[in-house]
Structures are given as structure tokens and as C-alpha cells.
Amino acid sequence: MREFLEDAFQHRDDGYGRAQKHAKQELPKRFYKETGVVPVEGGFTVTLDGRPTRTPGRVPVVVPVAGIATIMAEEWAAQGERIDAQTMPMVRLVNSALESGEGMVPSFRDEVVKFAGSDLMLYRAESPRELAAEQEAMWDEALVKLARHFGVSFQPTIGILHQPQPPATLAKLEESLEGEGLLVLTALVSITGLTGSGLLAIGLLNRLFTPDYVWSAAHVDEDFQIRQWGEDEEAIERRARRRTEFDTAVKLIELMRG
């Protein structure tokens, strides 16, 4: 499931395309009756009819927190006659982390900071004025909280021309992620890709923002367009799927950090 992370960085809305392709494929039949969670060396694993699970790449599934394994077991238990991976967001997210491996930790950390350096909240609309005002009202509050918490400064700009951020700011943000492990960083990568904002993801990790605030801040532009032109059913479904993935990543962080 490594593509779960790669896709998040390519297109925030690409989940719909994956779902369409997925719908055309025949789902595998359920091959187990009972699910469980058992302690093993290094943490906990999910069992299917008593057998420990592995990722699609055959990596043993072991997580350090029982609550994570419990959610995964519940997702396995909720499957019907066929197994639909799209309805198992925690399983997919954890599998992505385990198949990526510990060696990807520095790359995941760098990717989040890279997003923060050209962040959604740092590029403001020139027009219409109503949208610019909404961006200012929502995003300035977030930037002030981040600046005060980390002792840094940001340089927002109007338009789309690249505006470099102070190197000291990026260094402080990267330093804040030192020590975070594979599962937390995998979840953070997912949140960054789904929101288009490394700054919102870092703020969420540090409990500066609530999940609902992050989701709203990430969708200022989209919500403005919806109010102007309306929203079709396909867009509603796509956003709901993204929110499920977002909530799953948030839950993984919460369980890992206690």
C-alpha cells in the first residue's frame, strides 16, 4: 500500500480516481471468520482466525499501541463476503507505514517541512476580495499561533510567485519533528497531502489546532467556491472519503502520542 502515501502528494482529490479504478476490480473473498488482537514482541498484532496479519508486501503487522490494533481488527471484522480495502483506512495507513520502513523517516520529515515552505496558507488570493478576506481571517490566526509557539516568522505573499520562507523558520519546523517515529510521521504525511498544508499538520501535531479547525482552514478556497457555484454529488463523496482518511490519520497520531 505504499502508493497511499505517494498519491497523497500528487493530488489531494486523487482518492476519487483510485476509488473508480478500485470499483472495477473484483474484490477478494473473505477468507476468515474471527478477528482478534494479541500481544507480540514489539507490541500488538491483528489476527485472522488466530493467524497474525501481514501487509500486502508480507511485512508482519506489529503496532506499539493496542488501540491501533483494535481499530484495525474492527475494520477486518466489518468486512462482508468480500474484502474492500477502501473501507479499511487504518489498515491501509498502517500498512503504508510498515512497508515504507524506518529508513523513510527522514524523507517523511523533510517532505512535511518542504510543504510548509510553500504552504497553502502563505499564498493569498488577489481577488475576489471576499475570498481574500476569508483567507486572512482564518489563516492569519493559524500563522500567529505557529509563530508564537515556535518563535519564528512567516512571509505570506499575494499571488502564486514563489516566496521563500526564512531558513531559520524551516529549521525550527524541522527540529520540531525530530524524534517522531514512523507511524506518527506517516500520519503527518497523509494529513499534509490531504490538506495541502505542512503548517496545519505541524500545528495539529503540537495541539495548536483542533482537527475541525485544520479541516476548515484547508478548505477555505473550496468552501468559497461551493457557496458561489454549488457542489455536485461526486465532489461531496470525494470530500467525504478524504475526511475519513484525515480522521484516521488524526486518530493514529492521538493513539501514538497518548
Side-chain angles (χ1 to χ4, degrees):
M1 297 292 177
R2 191 183 301 267
E3 70 274 12
F4 178 82
L5 292 178
E6 297 170 346
D7 288 352
F9 284 115
Q10 293 174 6
H11 299 290
R12 285 176 57 188
D13 294 338
D14 193 44
Y16 179 74
R18 293 201 311 273
Q20 290 290 87
K21 180 180 179 181
H22 165 78
K24 297 177 182 179
Q25 299 174 343
E26 184 176 3
L27 300 176
K29 291 183 178 181
R30 178 167 174 161
F31 55 88
Y32 56 92
K33 293 182 179 180
E34 297 182 351
T35 66
V37 173
V38 298
V40 295
E41 183 178 356
F44 303 86
T45 191
V46 177
T47 60
L48 305 178
D49 290 340
R51 299 176 181 176
T53 54
R54 293 175 177 265
T55 72
R58 306 303 296 165
V59 177
V61 174
V62 178
V63 294
V65 179
I68 298 171
T70 297
I71 293 174
M72 297 171 70
E74 289 171 349
E75 290 180 352
W76 281 107
Q79 299 303 298
E81 293 183 1
R82 293 185 178 274
I83 302 172
D84 186 353
Q86 295 300 316
T87 65
M88 305 166 73
M90 186 65 79
V91 170
R92 289 189 292 117
L93 186 59
V94 171
N95 283 351
S96 295
L98 297 178
E99 291 200 342
S100 295
E102 294 290 340
M104 287 297 294
V105 164
S107 295
F108 287 169
R109 186 169 54 239
D110 292 345
E111 197 66 42
V112 174
V113 175
K114 179 181 177 181
F115 258 75
S118 56
D119 203 81
L120 167 79
M121 296 191 296
L122 298 174
Y123 291 85
R124 310 299 176 83
E126 297 184 56
S127 62
R129 286 190 299 175
E130 295 82 1
L131 174 58
E134 290 185 23
Q135 291 176 340
E136 181 178 346
M138 179 70 80
W139 295 348
D140 282 3
E141 178 185 350
L143 292 179
V144 168
K145 283 188 176 182
L146 286 161
R148 289 176 176 172
H149 182 79
F150 292 110
V152 299
S153 62
F154 298 101
Q155 296 180 356
T157 187
I158 297 175
I160 60 175
L161 293 179
H162 179 61
Q163 172 64 56
Q165 298 304 304
T169 295
L170 299 182
K172 274 289 186 68
L173 295 177
E174 184 164 10
E175 182 182 341
S176 75
L177 299 179
E178 291 287 347
E180 299 295 349
L182 176 62
L183 288 177
V184 169
L185 285 171
T186 298
L188 204 65
V189 165
S190 178
I191 291 169
T192 299
L194 290 165
T195 63
S197 175
L199 292 179
L200 287 172
I202 291 172
L204 180 63
L205 181 68
N206 287 273
R207 297 186 172 94
L208 300 179
F209 315 130
T210 66
D212 285 342
Y213 179 90
V214 168
W215 190 253
S216 295
H219 291 84
V220 170
D221 292 14
E222 184 176 309
D223 288 340
F224 179 83
Q225 295 299 326
I226 289 172
R227 291 195 298 273
Q228 300 301 308
W229 308 106
E231 186 176 31
D232 61 34
E233 183 176 347
E234 185 176 296
I236 293 172
E237 293 178 357
R238 183 168 59 244
R239 182 157 166 168
R241 282 192 293 271
R242 294 203 334 263
R243 182 62 198 252
T244 296
E245 293 185 357
F246 173 83
D247 288 340
T248 300
V250 170
K251 187 64 175 179
L252 181 57
I253 289 175
E254 290 175 347
L255 289 169
M256 285 297 299
R257 305 197 86 187

